[in-house]
Amino acid sequence: MREPRDDEMREFLEMLEKSCREATIRSYEHVFRNVTAFQEQNAGSVDLSEDDVAEFITATWSRYAAATRQGYICKLSNYLAYKHGGSPEQIISRINSVVQKKKQEHGTAGAAGETNDESHSQNAPAETNEEVFELLQDYLHQCAYGRREHAVIELILTTGCRVAGIAEIDVADIDTKQQTVQLRTSKEYAGESRSYTASLTDACTDVIAAYIDHERQECEAEDSAPLFTTTQGRVSCSTIRRDVKQAVQSAIEYQKSRTDTEGLD
């Protein structure tokens, strides 16, 4: 197995070993090896940058599915945030923006997904609920694919489940092969908790799978394995509401930045 050539990559992996599963470490090693090999083959710089990541994603576009591409971006953004400081979320957004621009120059679809219909390219500010919904979907697919907020919002939109029910979902409740989720009604609304099965769309299933593979944090203290987690354990309802609110705000800012950029061209 070829070791990452960047000493800081090795230091980053050693840091992850203290808190992450072996499968997660192996996944990071796989990403680092592929990016390192690409840089060596193309005479890239040893010091990995956001532009290098964007170049790698663009050059290997046809090789990977959307979830895999975004998994690469998420992992490499976490590394760049460790190395240079800053927010991984902002790094992800910048990388996706660069990739999107490169793909548009080649007449191809956006950064994280395969769709780029007219509703995704409108520059007018979103004013109606429908426009905000379309804007949110575009932002999540382009800049936050497979992140916790993306999986949460996809589940809410697909199943109509309340926030309290979303917070109670365990990993074992998800069946990606059958594309179903086991949900529990809240005692607050039903008098007693009851379980029922809800179907998932292809898009929702793919997002949840990407979240579990690349973004979900492990919890040692929980009796069960909650689907949505923080460093403290199962995610709270207030955190879910905050995630959704921040995602909507980020989507609006994302649209504004695209509009401002296109206005300068």
Side-chain angles (χ1 to χ4, degrees):
M1 178 184 299
R2 185 195 316 193
E3 292 291 328
R5 61 176 176 171
D6 189 332
D7 289 339
E8 289 182 294
M9 283 184 178
R10 287 189 285 271
E11 292 175 3
F12 179 69
L13 290 172
E14 290 174 359
M15 180 196 71
L16 291 181
E17 288 175 354
K18 299 176 182 178
S19 58
C20 295
R21 296 177 304 168
E22 182 177 355
T24 301
I25 306 301
R26 300 288 86 81
S27 180
Y28 270 94
E29 288 177 341
H30 176 73
V31 169
F32 287 163
R33 286 199 305 274
N34 285 346
V35 172
T36 296
F38 175 81
Q39 286 186 286
E40 290 176 346
Q41 187 176 18
N42 293 275
S45 62
V46 175
D47 188 17
L48 185 70
S49 67
E50 293 177 18
D51 286 340
D52 292 330
V53 176
E55 185 64 32
F56 169 80
I57 294 297
T58 305
T60 60
W61 186 267
S62 61
R63 189 182 306 173
Y64 303 114
T68 303
R69 286 196 297 268
Q70 198 62 19
Y72 268 75
I73 293 173
C74 288
K75 285 180 169 58
L76 293 169
S77 294
N78 288 337
Y79 165 68
L80 290 174
Y82 162 82
K83 184 173 183 178
H84 300 297
S87 163
E89 289 80 9
Q90 292 178 351
I91 295 173
I92 289 171
S93 180
R94 289 195 295 268
I95 291 173
N96 274 325
S97 294
V98 174
V99 173
Q100 183 183 33
K101 186 173 182 179
K102 288 178 178 292
K103 299 306 293 182
Q104 288 175 342
E105 290 172 353
H106 291 82
T108 315
E114 301 296 339
T115 61
N116 191 28
D117 59 35
E118 293 180 357
S119 67
H120 290 172
S121 61
Q122 292 176 345
N123 293 331
E127 297 179 352
T128 67
N129 288 338
E130 183 177 352
E131 288 172 333
V132 171
F133 170 71
E134 292 178 355
L135 178 62
L136 180 60
Q137 282 192 311
D138 185 31
Y139 163 75
L140 291 170
H141 205 67
Q142 299 289 352
C143 301
Y145 191 94
R147 297 189 69 83
R148 186 178 68 196
E149 62 268 31
H150 191 188
V152 164
I153 291 171
E154 283 286 352
L155 273 171
I156 291 174
L157 295 175
T158 301
T159 67
C161 183
R162 295 177 181 271
V163 169
I166 295 295
E168 292 177 2
I169 298 174
D170 293 332
V171 173
D173 293 326
I174 300 292
D175 188 333
T176 55
K177 292 184 179 180
Q178 296 297 321
Q179 295 188 244
T180 60
V181 57
Q182 289 292 320
L183 298 173
R184 285 170 285 280
T185 59
S186 173
K187 294 180 181 179
E188 178 182 354
Y189 299 102
E192 61 181 13
S193 181
R194 299 174 182 174
S195 297
Y196 64 98
T197 302
S199 298
L200 302 176
T201 63
D202 290 344
C204 184
T205 303
D206 290 344
V207 169
I208 292 172
Y211 162 75
I212 293 173
D213 289 343
H214 302 296
E215 290 291 317
R216 180 181 175 274
Q217 299 178 1
E218 288 295 317
C219 296
E220 299 292 341
E222 294 282 346
D223 293 333
S224 58
L227 177 62
F228 297 115
T229 59
T230 67
T231 54
Q232 284 75 40
R234 186 181 297 274
V235 73
S236 66
C237 293
S238 60
T239 297
I240 290 178
R241 293 188 182 97
R242 184 197 65 199
D243 282 353
V244 173
K245 182 177 179 180
Q246 289 182 342
V248 172
Q249 183 61 41
S250 295
I252 294 172
E253 293 174 356
Y254 172 66
Q255 185 207 36
K256 184 178 184 301
S257 66
R258 290 175 63 184
T259 303
D260 292 344
T261 300
E262 292 170 5
L264 295 174
D265 294 340

